[in-house]
């Protein structure tokens, strides 16, 4: 019963925020039958289930949201995962390297997704400028090591400082022209979701301004 009530409460939150922003809320979607774009990123899999799907435009950006559920195995133990995902389509070119900004205290929520992704490594020591402890004490900046200097152009130490202040404890991914924010709080409320969307729009604008 608790899982059902939690999902219901999360759905109310996503629906209310979507209404406030003028997004269309669809609830549960079947991507095989419905004409909706799958929200991808690191959490997409053949076993995930999506609920509370919403999509639309706000502040000049195409936005989509979904509440995603999946399971992974740790030996014989099954682990349940839940992310509320915000996706923003960037105006910048899709040549931005794959980046994953991973919060230290939530790393277990993503560890199974990094298995086999050797191209994503912590690059703090490979950049020309030093990232502040305010950022590195909270996050690891993961990207292909050979693209560390290119990543530094997009996520500079000053931008990283803003990320630490605005996003923590949410995770961030930039991939294939999309910006993803992953919210892992058990109880999702309008303040958390609305703040994450505002922060995502802030970062999207910075990335697009860098590309200009």
């Amino acid at each position: 019963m608790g899982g059902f009530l939690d999902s219901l409460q999360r759905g109310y939150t996503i629906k209310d925020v979507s209404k406030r922003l003028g997004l269309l809320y669809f609830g549960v979607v079947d991507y095989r039958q419905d004409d909706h774009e799958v929200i991808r990123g690191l959490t997409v899999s053949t076993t995930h289930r999506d609920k509370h799907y919403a999509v639309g435009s706000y502040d000049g950006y195409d936005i989509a949201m979904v509440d995603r559920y999946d399971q992974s195995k740790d030996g014989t133990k099954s682990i349940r995962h839940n992310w509320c995902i915000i996706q923003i389509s960037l105006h910048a070119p899709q040549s931005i390297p794959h980046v994953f900004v991973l919060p230290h205290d939530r790393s277990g929520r993503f560890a199974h997704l990094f298995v086999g992704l050797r191209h994503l490594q912590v690059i703090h020591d490979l950049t020309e400028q030093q990232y502040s402890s305010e950022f590195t004490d909270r996050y690891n900046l993961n990207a292909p090591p050979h693209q560390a200097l290119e990543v530094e152009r997009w996520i500079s130490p000053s931008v990283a400082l803003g990320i630490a202040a605005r996003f923590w404890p949410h995770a961030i991914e930039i991939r294939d022209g999309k910006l993803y924010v992953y919210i892992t709080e058990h109880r999702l409320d309008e303040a958390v979701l609305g703040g994450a969307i505002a922060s995502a729009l802030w970062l999207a604008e910075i990335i697009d301004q860098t590309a200009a």
Side-chain angles (χ1 to χ4, degrees):
M1 180 64 71
F4 172 76
L5 292 177
D6 287 343
S7 176
L8 199 63
Q9 181 268 330
R10 293 170 73 89
Y12 285 142
T13 296
I14 295 173
K15 187 175 183 179
D16 289 346
V17 171
S18 298
K19 183 177 180 180
R20 178 158 52 86
L21 299 182
L23 308 181
L24 295 175
Y25 173 82
F26 293 96
V28 178
V29 294
D30 184 343
Y31 296 111
R32 294 168 298 181
Q33 299 180 14
D34 301 327
D35 187 22
H36 297 301
E37 177 189 1
V38 178
I39 293 179
R40 307 196 69 81
L42 205 62
T43 61
V44 72
S45 75
T46 58
T47 58
H48 78 256
R49 294 180 295 111
D50 284 350
K51 299 181 180 180
H52 312 305
Y53 184 92
V55 65
S57 296
Y58 180 76
D59 201 20
Y61 282 95
D62 291 336
I63 300 177
M65 292 187 293
V66 77
D67 208 25
R68 176 164 291 169
Y69 298 81
D70 207 348
Q71 289 188 340
S72 65
K73 288 285 188 180
D74 184 4
T76 59
K77 183 180 178 182
S78 182
I79 302 174
R80 186 173 184 267
H81 303 280
N82 185 196
W83 310 272
C84 177
I85 307 172
I86 302 164
Q87 173 190 278
I88 294 184
S89 298
L90 298 169
H91 304 314
Q94 296 187 11
S95 58
I96 302 172
H98 187 191
V99 175
F100 202 100
V101 185
L102 179 65
H104 295 311
D105 71 332
R106 307 295 171 100
S107 59
R109 313 283 181 94
F110 299 92
H112 66 290
L113 302 173
F114 275 80
V115 176
L117 294 181
R118 296 182 179 179
H119 72 285
L120 290 180
Q121 298 180 25
V122 180
I123 62 167
H124 297 169
D125 296 332
L126 301 176
T127 55
E128 291 183 339
Q129 303 178 67
Q130 185 174 1
Y131 287 83
S132 68
S133 60
E134 287 89 343
F135 175 73
T136 58
D137 286 349
R138 291 185 170 188
Y139 284 104
N140 277 335
L141 180 57
N142 297 272
H146 70 281
Q147 293 182 294
L149 296 182
E150 177 68 9
V151 171
E152 185 181 8
R153 176 190 168 209
W154 301 98
I155 309 293
S156 67
S158 62
V159 172
L161 189 60
I163 287 174
R166 290 171 176 264
F167 282 91
W168 192 86
H170 311 323
I172 305 164
E173 183 177 16
I174 302 169
R175 187 176 191 177
D176 298 329
K178 309 287 187 183
L179 168 66
Y180 303 93
V181 178
Y182 300 98
I183 303 173
T184 56
E185 272 80 353
H186 177 63
R187 291 193 62 82
L188 185 68
D189 59 38
E190 290 189 40
V192 169
L193 182 55
I197 292 171
S199 297
L201 290 169
W202 166 81
L203 183 56
E205 289 179 359
I206 286 179
I207 292 172
D208 287 333
Q209 288 169 4
T210 302

